[in-house]
Structures are given as C-alpha cells and as structure tokens.
Amino acid sequence: MKLFIDTANLSEIEQAASLGVIDGVTTNPSLLAKEGASLKQTIEKICQLVDGPISAEVNSEKAEEMLAEADELASLHKNVVIKLPLTQEGLKACQKLSAKNIKTNVTLVFSPNQALLAAKSGATYVSPFVGRLDDQGHEGMLLIEEIRRIFDLYGFNTQILSASIRHPNHVRMSALSGAHVATIPFKVLNQMYQHPLTTHGLEIFRKDFLSQQK
Ligand code: G3P
C-alpha cells in the first residue's frame, strides 16, 4: 500500500519525506490557498522534495481549458499527476489525457458509479472522499470496499486513492478495505506512529538501562 501526504505545506512535506515512508503528494486548491501559494511554483518545489506522483489540480470547468492547464502542469515535471473533478467535462479531459499517457487523479468521488466512470475514462487514480461522506452520516469506508470490488471484478487498473482522511482509523480502514493508496494529512501521519505504550515502554527501558550504568 502506498502512502501520500495531503498538503501543500513545503515544511510538512519535507518532514514527512524525511521519514522515508511517503510515496507521493496530493494537493488541491484549498490546500494551496491555505498556504497562500501559487500552483505552479509550489508543484515545482514539491517535485524537488519527493520523488513520486505529485497531484496538481486543474481549476477550469471546460474540458478544453482543463487540457490546456494540464499541458502546462504536466510540463513542469515527469511526476506530475493531473487532478480532475468528477464532472462530465473532467471525464472528457481524463479520457484525452489517458490517451496521451498523462497520469490522472479523478477527485471529488462520492459514489461507486462515479468511480466506475473514472476507471472507464482511464484514470490512473480515483479519489473517494471518505471523511466528507462520514460528515454527512454515510460510511466512507463502504465506498472504498465497493469500488475495490468493482475494480477487481472487471480488472480495472485504476488505483483507489483514499482521500479526505481525518484520523488514523481512516488509514487503518483504508488499508483493510483495499485502497491502493491513502493520502494523509501531516497531523494524521504523526498520530500514526505515536502510542502511549511505546512511550511508556521506552521510558522503562531507558530507566533500566541507566540503572545498569551505575
Ligand atoms: O485532497 C483532497 C482531500 O483529501 C480533501 O480532504 O479534509 O478537505 O475533506 P478534506
């Protein structure tokens, strides 16, 4: 299973990359706005920090305009993945980019049928938003399971990228539900390696080690 970091904050990306467990990065317009950062400059910098798929999202509504944006973004670095919304126009653009072997990430996916359409359009990744579904009283993880079942039944190569992850249990459940990738906020990544029993156990080991040095 691959782990991506879901942020446009360069310091967070650098720290996460130093752990050696990060395979790629996802960004979106909201994450960029939070940093007050420009899309192209930020993507270029991220590509220097992480050698893996880096998702950069288009902002146009029409397929032709998305494709023009995609050309510019894809020319920044070989690792750039074009993130497109799950709309009619996004699917048209996805199909055209797939035909040109440009990697795509179809985002804002909330149903198995949307994921099926993205896979039919040749998407490299499909991003179901588990946290936002949970927020609405639905079960985000069921969506991951159903998409995985459909993709396995028909042999689609599209990878399921579990997104909108809010806490470590979303990562655990994404792994158990068959997501190929989870994209994780920096805070959640840090929560994943912490455990009170690890901290407590280490304190005891240190104390016992020091008592032997006397
Ligand atoms: O990258 C998209 C996604 O992870 C958004 O998460 O927390 O805004 O629902 P959130």
Side-chain angles (χ1 to χ4, degrees):
M1 187 189 184
K2 290 180 188 141
L3 300 180
F4 292 177
I5 181 100
D6 194 26
T7 181
N9 181 297
L10 298 175
S11 157
E12 289 183 355
I13 293 169
E14 205 166 4
Q15 290 175 65
S18 73
L19 286 174
V21 297
I22 292 301
D23 302 294
V25 182
T26 51
T27 64
N28 65 37
S30 304
L31 292 171
L32 284 157
K34 199 171 141 199
E35 302 306 321
S38 88
L39 172 61
K40 279 194 253 172
Q41 277 179 353
T42 309
I43 294 297
E44 275 177 328
K45 286 181 191 155
I46 295 174
C47 289
Q48 304 311 314
L49 297 174
V50 175
D51 184 19
I54 313 295
S55 285
E57 189 157 343
V58 299
N59 291 294
S60 307
E61 287 177 15
K62 291 283 169 203
E64 284 311 312
E65 290 159 16
M66 288 178 190
L67 290 168
E69 269 193 80
D71 276 345
E72 275 192 52
L73 291 169
S75 71
L76 295 176
H77 196 279
K78 65 176 173 47
N79 287 342
V80 170
V81 174
I82 306 302
K83 206 168 175 188
L84 303 155
L86 193 300
T87 57
Q88 277 189 20
E89 296 294 310
L91 289 175
K92 284 184 204 165
C94 181
Q95 192 273 327
K96 292 221 162 81
L97 292 172
S98 308
K100 284 163 71 179
N101 280 327
I102 293 177
K103 291 197 166 57
T104 52
N105 173 1
V106 177
T107 189
L108 289 166
V109 168
F110 295 95
S111 77
N113 284 341
Q114 288 181 317
L116 177 58
L117 292 173
K120 295 283 291 178
S121 304
T124 315
Y125 302 97
V126 64
S127 288
F129 276 29
V130 296
R132 291 193 197 181
L133 275 173
D134 287 358
D135 291 346
Q136 296 297 316
H138 297 288
E139 192 64 66
M141 278 314 145
L142 284 182
L143 176 59
I144 302 284
E145 282 172 26
E146 288 189 10
I147 297 173
R148 182 63 201 243
R149 215 167 127 206
I150 292 168
F151 285 7
D152 285 353
L153 272 172
Y154 300 101
F156 286 114
N157 291 325
T158 301
Q159 295 184 49
I160 303 165
L161 197 168
S162 186
S164 185
I165 282 180
R166 302 278 164 76
H167 46 69
N169 201 32
H170 273 152
V171 183
R172 182 180 76 94
M173 291 305 292
S174 296
L176 287 169
S177 304
H180 302 90
V181 190
T183 189
I184 308 170
F186 185 63
K187 181 183 157 211
V188 177
L189 179 69
N190 285 326
Q191 289 172 318
M192 283 170 67
Y193 58 77
Q194 289 167 16
H195 197 289
L197 288 178
T198 306
T199 310
H200 182 59
L202 195 56
E203 274 167 18
I204 294 169
F205 285 157
R206 283 217 178 106
K207 207 172 121 219
D208 290 344
F209 170 74
L210 290 172
S211 73
Q212 289 297 105
Q213 306 304 303
K214 287 174 188 162

